[in-house]
């Protein structure tokens, strides 16, 4: 025993000696910057007349008043006044201060320039699809930047241009690296860029876009530029922009107006800056959700005299286009990319099958095994979500209005229920219907303590978040895109991304799948832009089947996949062209 004691003492003395000789030093680490199918009218198209290069060749090889959000990290000043952290910051504090929701009796018009503080109180959205938020969206920003609004900054890229508005142009180098990584996983876009770059099929096209601004979208934008188009871009979601990617686009000369954590005023201001520019008028629209199309119809209807067409990729945006067409107000041809096979089956199904788990893990760190989950909607997005959660061991319930989708859910092994039947027992509620008020205040009141509520549809109208902006409920910020909504009895639910699109707001999506969607969008733009007058009328069209097959074929080499070719006898027997299309337009994949 004495030897052991002596050994311990000697070791202790040696450690003390080392500590005294090497005082602790702080390590200085480099800061790291931080789309239910709608029936469509299909126009017959001769594939041989398509402008796509090599297309006919087979492949070789709320209340109107604004609301001030409670931030639990704020500390009171002397005298009881609140001293918030700088605008846009999410500061951490060891204690949590609960507050009641406060409302401000103040409205602002769009073209009134809000003050720096006033911009945090959000006005009622013109469109309830993408901007129905009353909270301080500016708090979800990159903490590595200063908290000055990008609208108040004077920034220039290395070429001296200031025709952009991003969070921090200095982040461009980091964004460029992300774009280069994305290019490696987007083989079809890169192949299209290489094949069509010499012909410049989009020469003279002036494309105004409103989509998520991510590294994958950046590859699409730069591909459109390589094919001859001029582009101006804004974001379709206030949370999904990657600031460093936006900076990289701005540095390369693309007028981009977007940053993560925009307010509503910022959102519409950015769209307006893309559209309303002296000496430049768009002749093509690429939209995701319909907000850009809505804004031009509302503010600049005369622009449609020169616009050749609209390409729309989301359920929400396509629904709006069909409404305009039915009312006789659609004045240009529109291409419904959302209901193309390559979008429905790959982006909606396979993408959401992976990204639902990613978004939930990043925000809640929860384990899925044994958890009870209800998925509202069993379209392609719902199918992907259910498959992923079932594979992780979750008990999955499904709600549906369509008997065909409902029967599919039953045949896939899921129990079909009404939301009211399981709302008290489930651990997670996921909406993916494209509808509004799927989860109402009544449902929210009946949820159990700790229930997680999120949305996988494009629009933030599926969860009635506005009904939670009442004085008796307390909001606590947990982390970026995660809020506790607390009832007077202490019950709390976990609301993710304030009911907005979970995967693109809280995580990322698989690049390869987005390559399929982006290539489809690019081909739709080329088709509409080059189509002879009279081919397309003022209606909504599906992408020709031949183009769907072409997009798929561009991605097969990645898997070293080898297509079987029909013999002349087989093709004659089936009544097909050996080069396709291989399925009729009514075929359900």
């Amino acid at each position: 025993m004495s030897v052991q004691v002596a050994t311990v003492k000697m070791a202790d003395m040696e450690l003390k000696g080392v500590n005294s000789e090497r005082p602790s030093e702080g390590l200085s680490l480099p800061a790291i910057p931080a789309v239910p199918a709608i029936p469509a009218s299909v126009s017959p198209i001769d594939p041989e007349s398509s402008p796509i290069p090599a297309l006919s060749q087979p492949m070789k090889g709320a209340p109107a008043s604004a609301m001030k959000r409670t931030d639990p990290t704020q500390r009171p000043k002397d005298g009881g006044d609140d001293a918030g952290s700088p605008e846009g910051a999410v500061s951490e504090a060891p204690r949590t201060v609960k507050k009641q929701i406060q409302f401000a009796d103040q409205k602002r018009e769009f073209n009134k320039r809000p003050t720096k503080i006033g911009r945090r109180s959000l006005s009622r959205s013109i469109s309830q699809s993408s901007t129905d938020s009353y909270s301080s969206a500016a708090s979800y920003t990159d903490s590595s930047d200063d908290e000055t609004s990008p609208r108040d900054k004077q920034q220039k890229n290395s070429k001296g241009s200031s025709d952009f508005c991003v969070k921090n142009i200095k982040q461009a180098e980091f964004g460029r690296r992300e774009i280069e990584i994305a290019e490696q996983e987007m083989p079809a876009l890169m192949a299209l860029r290489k094949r069509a770059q010499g012909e410049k099929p989009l020469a003279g096209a002036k494309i105004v876009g409103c989509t998520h601004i991510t590294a994958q979208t950046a590859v699409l934008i730069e591909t459109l530029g390589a094919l001859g188009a001029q582009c101006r871009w804004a974001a379709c979601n206030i949370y999904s922009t990657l600031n460093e990617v936006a900076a990289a686009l701005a540095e390369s000369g693309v007028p981009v107006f977007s940053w993560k954590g925009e307010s509503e005023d910022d959102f519409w201001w950015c769209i307006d800056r893309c559209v309303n520019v002296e000496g430049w008028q768009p002749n093509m629209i690429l939209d995701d959700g319909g907000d850009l199309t809505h804004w031009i119809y509302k503010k600049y209807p005369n622009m449609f005299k020169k616009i050749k067409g609209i390409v729309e990729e989301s359920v929400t945006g396509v629904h709006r286009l069909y409404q305009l067409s039915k009312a006789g107000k659609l004045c240009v041809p529109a291409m419904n990319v959302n209901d193309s096979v390559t979008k429905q089956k790959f982006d909606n199904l396979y993408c959401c099958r992976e990204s639902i788990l990613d978004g939930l893990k990043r925000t809640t760190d929860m384990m899925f095994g044994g958890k009870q989950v209800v998925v509202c909607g069993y379209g392609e997005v719902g199918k992907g979500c259910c498959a992923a959660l079932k594979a992780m061991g979750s008990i999955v319930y499904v709600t549906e209005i369509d008997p065909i989708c409902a029967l599919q859910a039953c045949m896939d092994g899921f129990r079909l229920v009404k939301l009211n039947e399981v709302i008290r027992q489930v651990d997670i509620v996921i909406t993916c219907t494209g509808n509004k008020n799927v989860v109402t205040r009544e449902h929210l009141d009946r949820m159990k303590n700790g229930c997680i509520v999120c949305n996988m549809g494009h629009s933030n109208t599926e969860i009635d978040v506005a009904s939670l902006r009442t004085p008796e409920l307390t909001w606590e910020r947990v982390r970026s895109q995660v809020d506790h909504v607390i009832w007077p009895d202490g019950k709390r639910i976990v609301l993710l991304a304030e009911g907005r699109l979970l995967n693109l707001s809280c995580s990322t999506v698989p690049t390869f799948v987005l390559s399929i969607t982006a290539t489809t969008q690019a081909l739709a733009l080329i088709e509409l832009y080059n189509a002879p007058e009279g081919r397309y009328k003022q209606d909504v069209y599906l992408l020709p089947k031949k183009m769907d097959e072409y997009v798929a074929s561009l991605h097969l080499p990645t898997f070293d996949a080898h297509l079987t070719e029909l013999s002349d006898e087989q093709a004659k027997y089936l009544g097909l062209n050996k080069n396709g299309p291989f399925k009729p337009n009514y075929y359900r994949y």
Side-chain angles (χ1 to χ4, degrees):
M1 294 296 293
S2 61
V3 175
Q4 293 177 354
V5 173
T7 302
V8 172
K9 290 184 177 180
M10 289 177 65
D12 188 46
M13 293 174 62
E14 289 177 359
L15 286 173
K16 290 181 179 179
V18 170
N19 290 338
S20 62
E21 293 174 5
R22 298 183 60 185
S24 61
E25 296 179 359
L27 294 178
S28 179
L29 299 177
I32 301 178
V35 171
I38 306 171
S41 57
V42 182
S43 175
I45 296 174
D46 181 10
E48 303 299 331
S49 64
S50 171
I52 312 303
L55 186 58
S56 60
Q57 300 300 321
M59 278 298 295
K60 304 287 185 184
S65 58
M67 194 284 297
K68 180 179 179 182
R69 185 190 185 90
T70 300
D71 191 334
T73 62
Q74 294 179 349
R75 296 183 179 180
K77 289 181 180 178
D78 294 339
D81 293 331
D82 293 335
S85 58
E87 181 183 357
V90 181
S91 55
E92 298 287 336
R95 60 176 182 170
T96 299
V97 180
K98 297 183 180 180
K99 294 183 181 181
Q100 294 294 323
I101 298 294
Q102 300 177 10
F103 294 86
D105 297 322
Q106 192 172 8
K107 287 185 179 180
R108 253 188 325 276
E109 296 296 328
F110 166 76
N111 50 11
K112 276 190 178 180
R113 183 75 163 91
T115 62
K116 179 178 178 182
I117 296 176
R119 191 179 296 123
R120 299 194 60 180
S121 297
L122 304 180
S123 59
R124 182 68 177 174
S125 170
I126 297 176
S127 163
Q128 293 190 0
S129 117
S130 296
T131 57
D132 240 350
S133 176
Y134 302 85
S135 70
S136 177
S139 57
Y140 296 133
T141 55
D142 187 353
S143 60
S144 65
D145 283 336
D146 64 85
E147 304 309 325
T148 306
S149 169
R151 292 170 65 176
D152 297 327
K153 295 179 180 179
Q154 297 295 326
Q155 301 184 82
K156 290 185 179 182
N157 61 19
S158 60
K159 302 173 185 177
S161 173
S162 59
D163 188 19
F164 63 87
C165 189
V166 299
K167 183 68 175 179
N168 187 351
I169 191 64
K170 295 179 181 179
Q171 294 181 333
E173 184 179 350
F174 295 98
R176 178 52 53 189
R177 296 171 189 170
E178 293 190 31
I179 295 171
E180 290 171 353
I181 293 175
E183 288 176 347
Q184 300 173 24
E185 273 285 286
M186 305 186 79
L189 266 183
M190 302 308 292
L192 182 63
R193 186 187 297 187
K194 183 177 180 180
R195 293 184 183 191
Q197 191 167 5
E199 300 180 19
K200 302 287 184 183
L202 288 175
K206 297 181 177 180
I207 304 173
V208 60
C210 183
T211 66
H212 302 284
I213 297 182
T214 62
Q216 299 82 9
T217 308
V219 178
L220 170 61
I221 296 171
E222 294 185 343
T223 298
L224 298 177
L227 301 184
Q230 297 178 28
C231 300
R232 297 179 68 85
W233 229 262
C236 69
N237 186 296
I238 64 175
Y239 294 149
S240 64
T241 297
L242 297 181
N243 289 330
E244 62 273 22
V245 172
L249 286 171
E251 175 61 30
S252 68
V254 179
V256 55
F257 301 85
S258 175
W259 59 93
K260 189 178 183 71
E262 300 169 359
S263 69
E264 280 193 39
D265 290 307
D266 294 333
F267 177 84
W268 294 111
W269 179 86
C270 288
I271 290 179
D272 194 72
R273 282 294 306 272
C274 282
V275 176
N276 185 21
V277 54
E278 187 176 353
W280 194 92
Q281 182 170 324
N283 52 27
M284 294 295 297
I285 295 174
L286 178 57
D287 210 352
D288 184 354
D291 290 310
L292 173 58
T293 304
H294 165 84
W295 185 257
I296 297 177
Y297 265 106
K298 183 179 179 66
K299 293 290 184 177
Y300 311 103
N302 289 332
M303 283 190 177
F304 283 102
K305 294 179 180 179
K306 292 188 178 181
I307 292 176
K308 291 188 175 184
I310 302 169
V311 174
E312 172 59 56
E313 75 154 308
S314 74
V315 172
T316 305
V318 166
H319 182 62
R320 288 177 167 185
L321 289 175
Y322 280 111
Q323 287 179 324
L324 287 171
S325 178
K326 186 177 180 180
K329 295 181 179 180
L330 185 62
C331 50
V332 295
M335 195 70 81
N336 171 6
V337 169
N338 179 73
D339 292 312
S340 66
V341 178
T342 46
K343 171 66 166 63
Q344 281 282 324
K345 285 296 178 181
F346 297 96
D347 193 331
N348 292 7
L349 176 59
Y350 298 120
C351 174
C352 295
R353 191 175 67 183
E354 295 194 16
S355 60
I356 179 63
L357 301 179
D358 190 15
L360 286 170
K361 279 287 188 182
R362 292 200 196 193
T363 51
T364 65
D365 301 317
M366 74 176 306
M367 186 172 182
F368 298 108
K371 293 295 192 298
Q372 297 191 58
V373 186
V374 59
V375 177
C376 303
Y378 201 67
E380 299 298 341
V381 174
K383 289 180 175 70
C385 293
C386 289
L389 292 162
K390 181 180 181 180
M392 296 300 292
S394 298
I395 302 165
V396 183
Y397 305 95
V398 173
T399 71
E400 248 302 338
I401 61 169
D402 187 328
I404 298 177
C405 292
L407 182 58
Q408 286 180 311
C410 293
M411 297 292 287
D412 287 337
F414 301 107
R415 184 183 169 194
L416 190 74
V417 299
K418 291 184 177 181
L419 187 56
N420 285 331
E421 298 171 359
V422 296
I423 196 64
R424 290 185 182 275
Q425 67 194 59
V426 294
D427 302 291
I428 310 173
V429 178
I430 303 171
T431 59
C432 41
T433 68
N435 206 341
K436 64 178 293 185
N437 293 338
V438 177
V439 176
T440 64
R441 174 62 187 268
E442 180 184 357
H443 295 127
L444 295 162
D445 285 339
R446 296 174 60 197
M447 289 177 183
K448 72 179 188 180
N449 184 51
C451 183
I452 298 170
V453 188
C454 62
N455 170 47
M456 282 290 286
H458 176 85
S459 174
N460 64 316
T461 57
E462 301 200 33
I463 303 168
D464 189 10
V465 176
S467 68
L468 299 176
R469 313 289 184 178
T470 55
E472 73 271 12
L473 300 183
T474 302
W475 284 62
E476 279 185 352
R477 172 70 49 77
V478 179
R479 60 174 74 160
S480 178
Q481 312 289 35
V482 184
D483 291 292
H484 277 160
V485 183
I486 307 172
W487 269 250
D489 62 358
K491 184 199 87 169
R492 63 182 63 201
I493 64 170
V494 182
L495 180 64
L496 305 182
E498 297 186 11
R500 294 181 183 274
L501 185 57
L502 173 69
N503 53 5
L504 279 160
S505 295
C506 301
S507 61
T508 56
V509 294
T511 301
F512 187 82
V513 170
L514 291 188
S515 174
I516 300 172
T517 302
T519 307
T520 305
Q521 291 172 309
L523 292 177
L525 286 167
I526 295 173
E527 173 65 22
L528 279 179
Y529 182 71
N530 291 279
E533 188 175 353
R535 175 181 289 181
Y536 297 105
K537 297 178 171 51
Q538 297 170 354
D539 205 348
V540 185
Y541 295 84
L542 279 175
L543 196 71
K545 181 74 66 177
K546 183 69 176 179
M547 291 190 187
D548 265 330
E549 293 177 353
Y550 180 63
V551 171
S553 66
L554 287 173
H555 290 83
L556 290 177
T558 301
F559 304 99
D560 192 25
H562 305 276
L563 279 173
T564 301
E565 295 183 7
L566 291 173
S567 66
D568 293 335
E569 184 182 0
Q570 289 174 321
K572 183 178 179 180
Y573 178 78
L574 293 174
L576 296 176
N577 186 312
K578 290 179 64 175
N579 299 323
F582 299 97
K583 299 290 189 295
N585 287 314
Y586 56 79
Y587 182 81
R588 307 293 183 184
Y589 288 82

